[in-house]
């Protein structure tokens, strides 16, 4: 009744191509942003930060990245874990080599390094498609993890083979290291996520985004109407890897603080992020957020219900958690193959007409 | 002004725009085209006809660089073409539609046609990421042009519909729109009226003739409906079994014995 597009006339093309053409959507977005920036930091504690908010924010960045490559450009990738590792190790090397560099710059530089590595591993996509490309990116996953394990230069010859993040601060607040406060870490990741989501939206609505989608939907026709397949695919790999590299840098420096490559960035991570975008919705910015939220929040929720409320033993709870999440994934995929974002879209379409069905 | 219109700027209507010289194309042992030569003059509607399997679509694929003939030359705007990729040829001002609709199914009508406009857009990645400023300005400028095409093809109401949901006739129209968005010098139409009813064919014929007269676009068209072809084209090429058997005005083709034989099925000796 209140959610209407009727009467909301667009008189310029600029109005028509904005991200949230409906007034209600726009306000909803501003309110969410305001709550995330101005309200949440005052209530957040350590548990919420490390169990829920940081993983959600960081995985959302990674999911955005993979969605650009797989959802928008149609190139399946199983190398996400490896690219996260590149971001993390890039971040570590820059942090330790240039201690005075601003952490924000360090994170962006790690993204750029990952973008270069991603482009390198994207070259096979010019020749191979689909499952075969997936296998080629799988090679990236295993090679990169192996590389960071085997070459001591990457972990500065530390005895444990781990990398751990030194303390770095911005505006006098510690962002990484053991002294960083929960709200500061949260705000740092949130700022990056909002910036990158905005960039993702801009790139996908313009010429570049259309050329990615054209390649995804019909690559031969795309080439014949003037889309350069080399440039489109490699730019998708570059942008996607940039996002994933930033996520990897945050994962290491802000979230975990110390990582061992095989544990933190294994093949599981590749699949987890892939599941996020499939469940959330391929080719949808919003879907990347929902997918990340779903796969981060539901396990926490289930664990809280089973262990804290019902008092079940932890090991049983973990197994049941696996089963429930697996079941939910299957249910969602059968009910709506286009992901949660599509469910949301359908619900909004219904609401536009409610309470009159025509 | 993009590369295509620059290349064609010194070629007057009626002068030769494209010349196919002695083209032979084979796939393994199958000869798709054998020693075919013809030309397309600027501003005309040039039809390529022939029975099924005559090599018409292969001919279009040679013209837009998707197939590379083993023998022969393609001259475009007075320049001999060599080693160009299909997307580079698109940038030179050759656009096409496909026999089996090749739209981008996941995208809206508007996005499909805007994609056809990409040969005219050059904002770099950084300015697109920031959006405000150069990229937005370019988007809006090109959107204005695309809206003219949407008006021209009378598809305003389906602007934001995903093309996968549109009926066949409209999809064909959107595909024509996508090709037109490139402001092509030479437009290749591969059976634009296949599977249409009489009314839709009339609409499409009107659009094609309007494109030719309003934008001065040169058109090469493959079509099976002889009534339509004879009506709208200035000159025809007839192919049969990969060989050229006729070339001329509709009147000449109508009286050409080899063409009549090919269509009626006289055994080849």
């Amino acid at each position: 009744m209140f959610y209407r597009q009727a009467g909301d006339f667009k008189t310029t093309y600029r109005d028509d191509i904005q991200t949230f053409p409906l007034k209600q959507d726009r306000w909803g977005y501003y309110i969410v942003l305001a709550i995330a920036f101005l309200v949440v930091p005052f209530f957040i504690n350590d548990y919420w930060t490390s169990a829920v908010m940081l993983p959600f924010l960081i995985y959302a960045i990674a999911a955005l990245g993979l969605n650009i490559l797989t959802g928008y450009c149609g190139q399946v990738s199983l190398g996400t874990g490896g690219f996260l590792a590149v971001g993390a190790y890039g971040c570590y090397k820059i942090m330790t080599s240039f201690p005075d560099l601003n952490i924000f710059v360090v994170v962006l530089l790690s993204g750029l390094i990952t973008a270069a590595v991603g482009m390198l591993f994207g070259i096979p996509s010019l020749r191979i498609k689909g499952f075969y490309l997936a296998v080629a990116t799988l090679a990236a996953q295993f090679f990169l993890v192996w590389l960071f394990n085997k070459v001591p230069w990457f972990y500065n010859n530390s005895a444990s083979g781990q990398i751990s993040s030194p303390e770095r601060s911005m505006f006098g607040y510690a962002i990484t290291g053991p002294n960083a406060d929960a709200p500061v870490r949260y705000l740092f990741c949130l700022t990056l996520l909002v910036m990158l989501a905005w960039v993702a939206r801009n790139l996908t609505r313009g010429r570049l985004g259309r050329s990615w989608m054209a390649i995804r939907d019909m690559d031969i026709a795309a080439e014949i109407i003037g889309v350069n397949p080399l440039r489109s695919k490699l730019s998708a790999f570059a942008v996607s890897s940039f996002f994933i590299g930033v996520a990897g840098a945050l994962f290491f420096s802000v979230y975990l603080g110390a990582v061992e490559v095989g544990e933190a960035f294994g093949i599981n991570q590749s699949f987890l992020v892939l599941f996020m975008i499939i469940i959330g919705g391929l080719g949808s910015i919003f879907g990347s957020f929902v997918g990340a939220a779903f796969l981060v929040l539901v396990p926490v929720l289930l664990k809280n219900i089973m262990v804290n409320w019902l008092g079940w033993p932890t090991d049983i709870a973990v197994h049941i958690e696996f089963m429930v999440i697996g079941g939910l994934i299957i249910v969602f995929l059968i009910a709506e193959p286009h992901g949660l974002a599509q469910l949301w879209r359908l619900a909004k379409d219904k609401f536009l007409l409610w309470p009159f069905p025509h | 002004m993009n590369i295509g219109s620059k290349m064609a700027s010194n070629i007057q209507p009626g002068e030769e725009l494209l010349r196919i010289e002695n083209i032979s194309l084979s796939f393994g042992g199958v000869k798709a085209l054998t020693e075919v030569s013809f030309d397309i003059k600027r501003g005309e509607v040039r039809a390529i006809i022939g029975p099924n399997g005559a090599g018409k679509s292969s001919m279009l694929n040679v013209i837009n660089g998707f197939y590379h003939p083993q023998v022969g030359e393609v001259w475009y705007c007075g320049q001999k073409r060599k080693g160009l990729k299909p997307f580079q040829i698109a940038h030179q001002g050759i656009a096409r539609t496909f026999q089996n609709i090749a739209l981008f199914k996941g995208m809206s009508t508007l996005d499909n046609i805007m994609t056809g406009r990409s040969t005219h857009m050059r904002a770099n990645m950084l300015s697109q990421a920031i959006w405000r400023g150069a990229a937005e300005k370019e988007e809006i400028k090109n959107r204005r042009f695309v809206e003219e095409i949407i008006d021209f093809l009378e598809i305003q109401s389906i602007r934001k519909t995903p093309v996968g949901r549109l009926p066949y006739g409209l999809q064909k129209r959107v595909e024509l729109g996508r090709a037109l968005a490139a402001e092509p010098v030479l437009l290749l139409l591969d059976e634009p009226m296949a599977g249409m009813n009489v009314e839709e064919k009339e609409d499409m014929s009107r659009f094609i003739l309007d494109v030719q007269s309003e934008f001065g676009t040169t058109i090469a068209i493959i079509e099976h409906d002889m009534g339509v072809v004879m009506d709208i084209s200035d000159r025809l090429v007839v192919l049969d079994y990969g060989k050229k058997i006729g070339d001329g005005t509709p009147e000449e083709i109508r009286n050409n014995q080899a063409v009549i034989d090919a269509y009626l099925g006289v055994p080849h000796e």
Side-chain angles (χ1 to χ4, degrees):
Chain A
M1 207 184 304
F2 304 105
Y3 187 64
R4 280 278 179 275
Q5 65 189 51
D8 195 355
F9 299 113
K10 304 287 182 285
T11 49
T12 61
Y13 292 129
R14 188 183 184 154
D15 284 348
D16 194 49
I17 55 179
Q18 62 188 330
T19 306
F20 300 101
L22 287 185
K23 204 183 278 165
Q24 286 91 339
D25 283 348
R26 213 148 53 228
W27 280 104
Y29 165 72
Y30 292 143
I31 290 169
V32 169
L33 266 191
I35 292 175
F37 273 103
L38 302 175
V39 180
V40 176
F42 293 104
F43 293 95
I44 200 164
N45 57 22
D46 268 337
Y47 171 74
W48 272 89
T49 312
S50 37
V52 179
M53 290 322 282
L54 284 188
F56 163 65
L57 297 173
I58 293 168
Y59 276 120
I61 295 177
L64 275 174
L66 188 62
N67 219 337
I68 283 173
L69 184 64
T70 305
Y72 282 96
C73 196
Q75 313 296 310
V76 186
S77 164
L78 290 176
T80 316
F83 296 133
L84 284 168
V86 175
Y89 279 75
C91 180
Y92 176 66
K93 284 306 285 188
I94 299 173
M95 274 171 122
T96 48
S97 312
F98 307 96
D100 297 330
L101 209 56
N102 189 314
I103 178 71
F104 193 77
V105 179
V106 172
V107 169
L108 292 185
L109 282 178
S110 327
L112 285 179
I113 293 173
T114 318
V117 175
M119 273 169 86
L120 193 69
F121 283 101
I123 292 171
S125 72
L126 305 174
R127 290 276 165 188
I128 52 181
K129 295 183 204 169
F131 287 124
Y132 301 92
L133 180 64
V135 173
T137 54
L138 200 57
Q141 165 74 43
F142 286 115
F143 170 74
L144 290 168
V145 169
W146 172 86
L147 183 73
F148 295 131
N149 241 332
K150 280 289 171 226
V151 182
W153 179 79
F154 285 111
Y155 47 87
N156 285 0
N157 305 306
S158 79
S160 59
Q162 278 198 338
I163 54 173
S164 53
S165 158
E167 183 170 318
R168 292 286 179 272
S169 44
M170 240 172 107
F171 310 120
Y173 293 102
I175 286 170
T176 64
N179 298 323
D181 283 336
V184 179
R185 293 155 79 203
Y186 163 81
L187 278 176
F188 185 71
C189 291
L190 180 68
T191 311
L192 271 162
L193 172 63
V194 171
M195 274 176 52
L196 288 177
W198 179 71
V199 166
R201 165 64 189 160
N202 287 343
L203 286 177
T204 50
R205 68 172 149 176
R207 173 177 62 91
L208 199 61
R210 282 191 298 267
S211 73
W212 291 338
M213 290 188 275
I215 291 283
R216 171 195 70 191
D217 285 350
M218 194 158 282
D219 51 353
I220 291 172
E223 183 172 5
I224 281 173
I225 65 167
V227 173
N228 183 342
L230 176 101
R231 240 192 244 172
S232 305
K233 285 181 183 174
L234 286 189
S235 64
F237 266 97
V239 173
S240 157
S241 308
F242 177 79
F243 279 55
I244 294 172
V246 168
L250 293 176
F251 204 79
F252 153 68
S253 63
V254 181
Y255 176 41
L256 292 179
V259 296
E260 197 276 317
V261 64
E263 257 170 50
F265 303 115
I267 181 87
N268 292 351
Q269 295 284 0
S270 300
F271 281 113
L272 183 63
V273 180
L274 189 64
F275 290 156
M276 283 175 183
I277 63 169
I278 292 175
I279 292 169
L282 290 169
S284 158
I285 304 272
F286 180 68
S288 317
F289 283 85
V290 191
F294 184 82
L295 283 188
V296 169
L297 288 182
V298 172
V300 175
L301 190 73
L302 287 177
K303 193 175 155 231
N304 271 328
I305 292 175
M306 286 187 293
V307 179
N308 297 359
W309 289 8
L310 303 176
W312 294 357
T314 338
D315 51 340
I316 293 183
V318 168
H319 290 145
I320 291 182
E321 187 189 306
F322 279 136
M323 289 191 278
V324 173
I325 290 178
L328 278 177
I329 291 175
I330 292 171
V331 169
F332 271 124
L333 288 186
I334 291 173
E336 185 48 72
H338 297 292
L340 295 170
Q342 178 70 10
L343 277 182
W344 174 248
R345 231 171 280 147
L346 292 176
K348 285 210 299 190
D349 285 350
K350 278 257 158 63
F351 247 108
L352 279 176
L353 297 175
W354 186 85
F356 309 107
H358 295 293
Chain B
M1 204 177 197
N2 67 345
I3 312 168
S5 40
K6 230 173 262 169
M7 280 178 78
S9 59
N10 54 352
I11 294 175
Q12 301 305 316
E15 288 179 7
E16 177 188 280
L17 179 71
L18 181 104
R19 189 166 82 243
I20 300 293
E21 240 179 47
N22 204 22
I23 292 276
S24 293
L25 173 75
S26 57
F27 304 102
V30 182
K31 284 188 174 166
L33 295 168
T34 316
E35 294 169 4
V36 179
S37 305
F38 65 91
D39 64 345
I40 297 176
K41 293 197 174 107
R42 181 131 205 221
E44 73 173 345
V45 176
R46 183 73 144 135
I48 303 174
I49 62 170
N52 284 325
K56 306 182 296 294
S57 291
S58 299
M59 195 67 243
L60 285 199
N61 283 334
V62 167
I63 294 177
N64 71 10
F66 189 62
Y67 288 162
H68 296 279
Q70 282 85 2
V71 185
E73 294 166 0
V74 178
W75 288 72
Y76 176 65
C77 294
Q79 290 174 18
K80 186 177 159 185
R81 177 193 292 167
K82 49 185 171 199
L84 288 181
K85 296 238 163 61
F87 72 88
Q88 292 167 316
I89 289 167
H91 279 265
Q92 291 189 344
I94 299 185
R96 78 171 285 182
T97 66
F98 297 83
Q99 187 174 357
N100 313 310
I101 298 169
L103 285 170
F104 308 124
K105 294 234 176 341
M107 298 158 73
S108 66
T109 300
L110 182 63
D111 277 342
N112 265 279
I113 302 180
M114 282 296 281
T115 312
R117 193 74 189 148
S118 54
T119 50
H120 291 259
M121 298 174 82
R122 47 182 60 79
N124 62 29
M125 199 199 272
L126 198 64
S127 72
Q128 286 186 70
I130 295 166
W131 190 257
R132 293 266 171 229
E136 192 183 42
K137 215 186 266 172
E138 185 182 66
E139 179 89 2
I140 289 171
K141 194 179 108 202
N142 287 291
R143 170 76 186 272
R144 200 160 280 145
F145 183 85
V146 164
E147 287 292 338
E148 277 172 29
I149 287 173
I150 289 177
D151 279 350
F152 173 74
L153 294 174
E154 296 158 18
I155 46 177
Q156 294 93 336
S157 59
I158 54 164
R159 199 185 273 126
K160 300 218 166 142
T161 317
V163 292
R165 283 197 221 150
L166 297 176
Y168 181 80
L170 279 179
Q171 290 197 8
K172 280 272 186 192
R173 220 186 273 186
V174 174
E175 211 192 2
L176 177 62
R178 187 180 69 182
L180 287 178
E183 281 182 86
V185 176
L186 172 61
L187 176 61
L188 312 174
L189 302 172
D190 196 346
E191 300 200 20
M193 294 168 225
M196 286 187 167
N197 62 30
V198 177
E199 198 185 334
E200 287 171 326
K201 278 184 187 177
E202 281 172 357
D203 279 347
M204 192 52 99
S205 307
R206 183 164 53 83
F207 287 135
I208 292 170
L209 291 175
D210 282 353
V211 168
Q212 185 210 13
S213 59
E214 274 188 38
F215 305 121
T217 310
T218 312
I219 295 169
I221 179 173
I222 294 178
E223 185 47 56
H224 277 298
D225 187 321
M226 280 309 133
V228 172
V229 170
M230 295 290 177
D231 269 355
I232 66 172
S233 55
D234 298 310
R235 290 192 303 152
L236 297 93
V237 180
V238 191
L239 298 178
D240 190 25
Y241 290 99
K243 292 192 178 116
K244 186 169 95 168
I245 57 170
D247 189 345
T249 62
E251 200 51 43
E252 290 164 5
I253 296 297
R254 223 176 253 133
N255 302 321
N256 183 325
Q257 192 55 42
V259 175
I260 295 168
D261 288 351
Y263 271 90
L264 295 181
V266 171
H268 288 251
E269 61 286 344

